Amino acid sequence: MLAEIRGLNEECGVFGIWNHPNPAQLSYYGLHALQHRGQEGAGIVVSDGKHLRAVKGEGLVNDVFNEEKLKSIEGTSAIAHVRYTTAGGAGIENVQPLLFHSSTGSLSIAHNGNLVNANRLKKYLERQGSIFHSSSDTEVLAHLIKKSTHAPFSEKVKNALTLLEGAYSFLIMTKDELIVARDRHGLRPLALGKLGDAYVVASETCAFDLIGAETVRSIEPGEMLIINEEGMRSVRYQEEQTRSMCAMEYVYLARPDSDIDGINVHMARKRMGKALAKECMHIEADVVTGVPDSSISAAIGFAEETGLPYELGLIKNRYVGRTFIQPTQELRERGVKMKLSPVVQVVKGKRVVMVDDSIVRGTTSRRIVKMLKDAGAAEVHVVISSPPMTHPCYYGIDTSTAEDLIASSQSIEEIRDTIGADSLTFLSVEGMVNSIDRPYEDDNKGLCLACFTSNYPTEIFSDTILPHEKELQL
Ligand code: AMP
Ligand code: SF4
């Protein structure tokens, strides 16, 4: 039942800017660049040095903000957020950044990720008398900061952060300080940039390119930046622990023009396509096509490696929302049809290699194979530029419970049969890790691979809540 009413969630995106005359406008542009990370809601909180003011709303960045609204929140610094799509628990109260007012001053927090010990901390805090308005991780952090007896403010934050376990990129702003923190595993991306005298931070570097800022570096795992009128200070609040950047960011989530830890996402995807081609040299085909948009890079790499022509076999209708916004299986399936169309002249009578970046439930692949065959394709060989996803993600990508993941219960041959393909090949874990090619020494090259290998980089507690369960708990 849960699986039926739930959509597949994506991640959130965060953006922050310190010391700029137009923080709201720049945040608006930054959020535009991060829109692919969440379409359910967007918000900007601005500080003018005295007060924090917010504009937030449900929907796309363009729906939430207009010139008048942006003018109503002028100041010198801002944090901003785009929220992922969900089927349940939507509502303005969940749109970030969250704003907390207390006698000691106002505080705003924007969060990307998922804590694995939020439930434990919440129970502890409730026993201590804290009253929660939601089950969001962000509120847990706010209570921990408030409870801390340390001083100054940055010490309170530091102390609170050491109690958190899981995935997070946090932007925390008071009227006179911006604090930026990334979890000690570095699970979610977070980068630092510079725009003249202003500091900027964002989930992805594509946000810097759009506003003309230069990328400085990634925030390190376990690093906290304290930015105020004295400038920027970096503090290691925790030792780095098994650096574990989410591999799915490179596979699907991030924008191809972003660099994560210095590795360009498009180039990584192209290498994954090439590696996949090497792993399935047995396939005989006429054309290669990619599922737009996230698989185009891998399809180009695949075609380049095999020497087969890359063709536009599928086109995307850009004016319909993402497939995953529709909650039921039936609607989702209709959504895929609304979004994609085959180019009959390309596929008719051809043996087609269809490249996609991943299979979650199998819905997309099944629909597309049928679509290509209905359009006259002689054979459809599905090649996937990531390994079978067998385990759920606890770190903010709601790849659902195991039963929703087709590869958790079906063999590759069974999946091939379910999606109706003539052959099905997944990229190996090794092929994916080597293709992403991050500059770290360990076997995983500093990647989290848990949804492919079940090797979770953090402890998972008996009461760890998956992101979607949070929504349903509200
Ligand atoms: P499915 O149709 O359930 O097998 O989902 C696979 C499709 O969803 C692929 O085309 C991917 O590009 C895309 N995808 C992969 N991971 C996610 C995610 N976490 N959220 C939304 N879409 C995803
Ligand atoms: Fe990313 Fe998978 Fe790790 Fe989740 S479990 S953080 S989706 S690699």
Side-chain angles (χ1 to χ4, degrees):
M1 177 60 189
L2 281 188
E4 275 171 37
I5 59 167
R6 216 170 48 225
L8 239 188
N9 295 335
E10 294 154 40
E11 281 216 287
C12 300
V14 294
F15 178 88
I17 182 157
W18 185 262
N19 187 27
H20 192 280
N22 300 112
Q25 277 82 355
L26 286 172
S27 298
Y28 168 75
Y29 289 125
L31 291 185
H32 257 292
L34 300 174
Q35 183 80 85
H36 60 287
R37 298 181 74 85
Q39 298 93 45
E40 190 191 71
I44 302 175
V45 172
V46 168
S47 165
D48 60 6
K50 293 193 189 86
H51 305 284
L52 299 184
R53 274 170 300 159
V55 172
K56 296 199 274 184
E58 292 177 72
L60 299 172
V61 174
N62 256 346
D63 303 330
V64 175
F65 304 103
N66 56 32
E67 219 175 327
E68 199 184 321
K69 284 187 181 160
L70 292 174
K71 279 213 170 106
S72 73
I73 48 170
E74 286 184 340
T76 51
S77 304
I79 60 173
H81 191 268
V82 279
R83 185 179 154 75
Y84 60 44
T85 55
T86 65
I92 187 72
E93 68 280 6
N94 291 320
V95 178
Q96 295 201 17
L98 295 187
L99 194 49
F100 304 91
H101 299 290
S102 77
S103 52
T104 50
S106 301
L107 168 68
S108 183
I109 309 181
H111 175 210
N112 173 208
N114 188 58
L115 304 180
V116 292
N117 65 344
N119 216 20
R120 299 192 156 211
L121 290 171
K122 193 179 158 201
K123 279 186 198 140
Y124 162 78
L125 284 162
E126 276 172 344
R127 279 200 302 272
Q128 306 269 313
S130 296
I131 296 166
F132 280 81
H133 300 287
S134 75
S135 55
S136 84
D137 300 352
T138 318
E139 201 179 340
V140 171
L141 177 63
H143 281 284
L144 287 174
I145 293 173
K146 217 171 133 201
K147 274 221 141 14
S148 171
T149 50
H150 291 69
F153 180 72
S154 57
E155 283 299 313
K156 287 187 200 292
V157 175
K158 192 170 149 190
N159 189 247
L161 289 174
T162 55
L163 300 171
L164 307 182
E165 179 65 290
Y168 57 82
S169 290
F170 273 120
L171 305 188
I172 304 155
M173 189 174 72
T174 62
K175 64 182 173 44
D176 42 29
E177 203 156 56
L178 170 64
I179 295 181
V180 180
R182 190 170 177 211
D183 69 76
R184 61 191 168 139
H185 307 275
L187 276 151
R188 303 265 68 93
L190 189 61
L192 171 69
K194 205 83 209 286
L195 179 66
D197 291 337
Y199 289 101
V200 277
V201 282
S203 296
E204 288 185 42
T205 59
C206 62
F208 299 156
D209 300 335
L210 192 106
I211 59 165
E214 111 197 53
T215 300
V216 176
R217 63 177 175 88
S218 287
I219 315 296
E220 288 296 307
E223 182 183 11
M224 181 171 136
L225 299 179
I226 302 158
I227 310 173
N228 53 32
E229 63 175 10
E230 286 162 24
M232 188 185 84
R233 195 156 55 88
S234 159
V235 176
R236 271 297 166 124
Y237 67 92
Q238 254 182 345
E239 282 304 305
E240 175 184 319
Q241 277 215 344
T242 47
R243 188 185 274 266
S244 309
M245 174 70 219
C246 169
M248 278 304 285
E249 291 280 353
Y250 291 100
V251 169
Y252 165 78
L253 294 158
R255 241 170 68 158
D257 53 337
S258 288
D259 293 345
I260 302 177
D261 291 344
I263 302 288
N264 174 254
V265 172
H266 163 71
M267 296 309 285
R269 286 182 190 163
K270 210 171 147 189
R271 288 192 294 271
M272 287 186 243
K274 280 174 177 275
L276 180 58
K278 285 191 189 130
E279 290 182 18
C280 51
M281 277 304 183
H282 54 281
I283 297 173
E284 289 186 7
D286 305 307
V287 289
V288 176
T289 195
V291 181
D293 294 320
S294 51
S295 306
I296 302 294
S297 309
I300 292 171
F302 190 97
E304 214 170 280
E305 185 65 33
T306 53
L308 290 170
Y310 171 77
E311 273 289 3
L312 202 66
L314 293 160
I315 57 155
K316 186 174 176 178
N317 179 357
R318 295 189 188 282
Y319 304 102
V320 291
R322 281 200 161 195
T323 322
F324 293 89
I325 294 169
Q326 292 117 17
T328 67
Q329 184 76 4
E330 192 206 336
L331 281 175
R332 256 197 311 275
E333 296 202 8
R334 210 181 299 153
V336 174
K337 205 164 188 180
M338 270 164 59
K339 250 172 67 171
L340 292 171
S341 308
V343 181
V344 178
Q345 289 79 350
V346 167
V347 301
K348 198 167 180 195
K350 300 278 172 50
R351 295 168 300 175
V352 181
V353 174
M354 181 206 112
V355 184
D356 202 357
D357 55 78
S358 51
I359 288 184
V360 182
R361 293 186 184 87
T363 316
T364 308
S365 293
R366 185 155 49 85
R367 292 288 328 177
I368 295 174
V369 170
K370 184 167 184 309
M371 201 184 282
L372 292 172
K373 291 217 162 172
D374 288 349
E379 291 173 15
V380 180
H381 299 275
V382 175
V383 299
I384 304 292
S385 59
S386 61
M389 208 182 275
T390 48
H391 289 78
C393 173
Y394 297 96
Y395 305 126
I397 319 283
D398 181 11
T399 38
S400 274
T401 51
E403 62 263 29
D404 276 353
L405 301 169
I406 191 168
S408 73
S409 58
Q410 294 192 14
S411 68
I412 295 179
E413 176 52 23
E414 285 166 335
I415 302 173
R416 184 205 61 72
D417 194 47
T418 305
I419 66 174
D422 291 282
S423 75
L424 170 65
T425 313
F426 287 89
L427 180 61
S428 64
V429 171
E430 199 190 9
M432 178 178 73
V433 172
N434 291 336
S435 305
I436 298 174
D437 199 21
R438 285 158 53 88
Y440 304 104
E441 299 278 292
D442 62 304
D443 288 350
N444 293 351
K445 298 206 176 194
L447 286 167
C448 170
L449 304 167
C451 50
F452 310 109
T453 63
S454 81
N455 194 0
Y456 292 96
T458 70
E459 210 170 322
I460 304 295
F461 302 99
S462 55
D463 55 359
T464 294
I465 312 180
L466 283 163
H468 62 78
E469 288 170 334
K470 280 187 188 150
E471 302 301 329
L472 297 167
Q473 271 199 352
L474 287 173

